[in-house]
Amino acid sequence: MKKLLHKGLDLSRSKTARSLYWVLSGNFLTIILTFFTTILIANHLTKADNGIFLALFTLANLLSDLAELGLGSSLSNFVPKLRAQNRLSEAHHYVATAFTLEVIVGLVMMVSLVVLSPWLSRYLFADTPIINVTLAAILTFVLVIFGFSGLALSGYQLFREVSVVNACYSVLRLGFLLVMIYVAKLDISKVLVVYVLTFSVGWIYSLIYLRKSFWLTLGTSDLRTRLLGFSSLLGLQKIFVSISSRLDVLMLIPLLAVRTGPVEAGVYGIASRFALVYPLIISSFGQVLAPRFAQYKKAGNAAPFLKRAIMIVAILF
C-alpha cells in the first residue's frame, strides 16, 4: 500500500500531471468567468436581444470551428516530434503554413458573411441591424486566429501559456463589459465589439510565445500535402461535431414565431453554454496527452506513458 501511495505521489508530480493542472485550472477559471459574463449580459440585454446575441456568437463559433479544418489540431502530431528531434525551424514552418491556410479560410468566411449579412439579418436573426451580423463576421475571423494560437501553444507543449492566454481574454472580457455597462447602456453591438476586442488582445498576447511561428507562408508542396493529408479526417470530424453541437441555437429563431424565437433562443442558449462545461474539462486531457503521445515513433513505445496517463486521470477523478 505504501509503495502504491508513493507511486501515486510521484505520478502527481510528473510533467504530464503538472501540465494537466495548468490546463484544468485555466479552463476552470475560464468557466467561472464565462458564467459571470453570461449572467451579466443576460441581465443587461432584453431577453430577445440576448437570444439574438447568443445566436450570432454561436454562428461565429460554428464558422470558426469549420475554418479550423483540423489544421491547428494536427500540429499536435507534427510539432512535438520535430521538437524532440531538435528540428525547430521545420516545426515553425508547419505552424506558419497551417496558420496561413486558416487565415485564408477565415477571411473567405468573414467576407462571405459580410456579403450575406442583409439576408442573414432578415431570415436568421429576426431583422437585427446588419451591423450586428457584420460584427459577428469580424468575430468569426478573430476566433479563427485566436483558436489557432491555443492549438499551436499546445503543439509546442506550452500548457501554462495556454492557461495564461485563456485567463487573459476571460478577465478582459468581463472587465470591458463592466466598463461598458458603467459608461453606456449595453446592446448587442457593444457586446460583440467587446468580444472582438478581447479575443484580439488574447491573440496578440499569444504572439509573445509564438512570434517565431506566426508569419504568412504556404510552405512547400510536400509540407502542405503532409499537413492537409493528416488534418483532413480531423477536419471532417470537427465539421460533424460543430454542426451537431451548435446548429440548434441558430435554428431556434427562424423556426419559432418572430416574437418568441429570440427569447426562446436566449433561454436555450444560456443552458447550452453551461452544458459545455463537461466537454471542456474532458478536452483538457486530450489537449495535454495528444502532443505527448505524438513524441513516440511507435505505438509500443507509448505503452508505459499510456499506463501513467490512465493512472493520473484515475488519481485526479
Side-chain angles (χ1 to χ4, degrees):
M1 184 67 184
K2 188 177 181 180
K3 184 178 179 181
L4 185 64
L5 181 62
H6 280 298
K7 189 174 183 179
L9 288 173
D10 289 339
L11 285 172
S12 67
R13 301 190 192 104
S14 67
K15 186 177 180 181
T16 301
R18 292 198 303 271
S19 298
L20 278 172
Y21 300 152
W22 274 109
V23 174
L24 284 171
S25 59
N27 283 342
F28 274 123
L29 178 61
T30 300
I31 289 168
I32 293 170
L33 293 174
T34 298
F35 171 80
F36 287 112
T37 299
T38 302
I39 298 301
L40 188 68
I41 293 171
N43 284 335
H44 287 83
L45 293 180
T46 65
K47 292 180 179 179
D49 282 352
N50 185 53
I52 293 171
F53 160 71
L54 286 173
L56 288 166
F57 185 53
T58 299
L59 177 66
N61 269 304
L62 172 61
L63 293 180
S64 65
D65 284 347
L66 298 181
E68 198 266 332
L69 296 175
L71 291 165
S73 303
S74 68
L75 296 178
S76 292
N77 177 65
F78 296 106
V79 174
K81 292 177 182 176
L82 294 170
R83 288 182 72 239
Q85 298 168 14
N86 204 28
R87 295 157 61 187
L88 291 178
S89 178
E90 192 172 343
H92 297 333
H93 273 86
Y94 268 96
V95 175
T97 302
F99 176 66
T100 303
L101 293 172
E102 283 204 21
V103 165
I104 292 171
V105 177
L107 286 173
V108 169
M109 286 194 169
M110 181 179 73
V111 173
S112 299
L113 269 182
V114 172
V115 172
L116 294 172
S117 58
W119 183 88
L120 292 171
S121 171
R122 181 177 180 184
Y123 293 104
L124 276 184
F125 301 113
D127 281 322
T128 190
I130 295 174
I131 184 62
N132 291 338
V133 183
T134 303
L135 287 170
I138 298 171
L139 179 59
T140 298
F141 178 74
V142 173
L143 287 174
V144 168
I145 59 176
F146 176 81
F148 182 86
S149 66
L151 293 170
L153 286 169
S154 296
Y156 283 111
Q157 300 182 34
L158 299 174
F159 301 111
R160 179 176 59 183
E161 288 75 7
V162 172
S163 299
V164 172
V165 170
N166 287 337
C168 171
Y169 93 81
S170 299
V171 170
L172 285 175
R173 181 176 59 184
L174 183 58
F176 280 14
L177 282 171
L178 289 170
V179 171
M180 193 75 73
I181 290 169
Y182 180 79
V183 172
K185 184 179 178 181
L186 207 61
D187 57 34
I188 298 173
S189 298
K190 292 186 179 69
V191 175
L192 288 170
V193 167
V194 167
Y195 271 61
V196 169
L197 288 175
T198 51
F199 279 108
S200 298
V201 171
W203 177 72
I204 293 169
Y205 182 65
S206 72
L207 295 181
I208 295 174
Y209 312 110
L210 293 168
R211 57 186 179 277
K212 294 182 179 180
S213 301
F214 272 38
W215 73 87
L216 298 179
T217 176
L218 289 174
T220 64
S221 59
D222 181 57
L223 189 152
R224 289 197 305 273
T225 300
R226 278 182 284 172
L227 190 60
L228 293 171
F230 186 85
S231 68
S232 56
L233 290 178
L234 289 174
L236 188 63
Q237 177 257 355
K238 194 77 173 276
I239 289 172
F240 285 114
V241 171
S242 299
I243 291 176
S244 63
S245 62
R246 302 189 190 278
L247 195 61
D248 47 2
V249 177
L250 279 176
M251 290 295 99
L252 281 176
I253 294 177
L255 289 178
L256 297 176
V258 175
R259 292 184 179 180
T260 60
V263 176
E264 297 293 340
V267 175
Y268 182 83
I270 291 175
S272 65
R273 294 199 72 186
F274 292 146
L276 293 174
V277 170
Y278 181 73
L280 181 62
I281 294 173
I282 295 300
S283 68
S284 302
F285 291 93
Q287 188 175 354
V288 172
L289 297 180
R292 302 279 195 223
F293 278 119
Q295 291 179 333
Y296 299 96
K297 293 182 179 180
K298 296 180 180 180
N301 296 337
F305 175 76
L306 178 60
K307 292 178 182 178
R308 292 198 301 271
I310 292 173
M311 290 189 67
I312 290 171
V313 173
I315 291 169
L316 290 175
F317 287 89

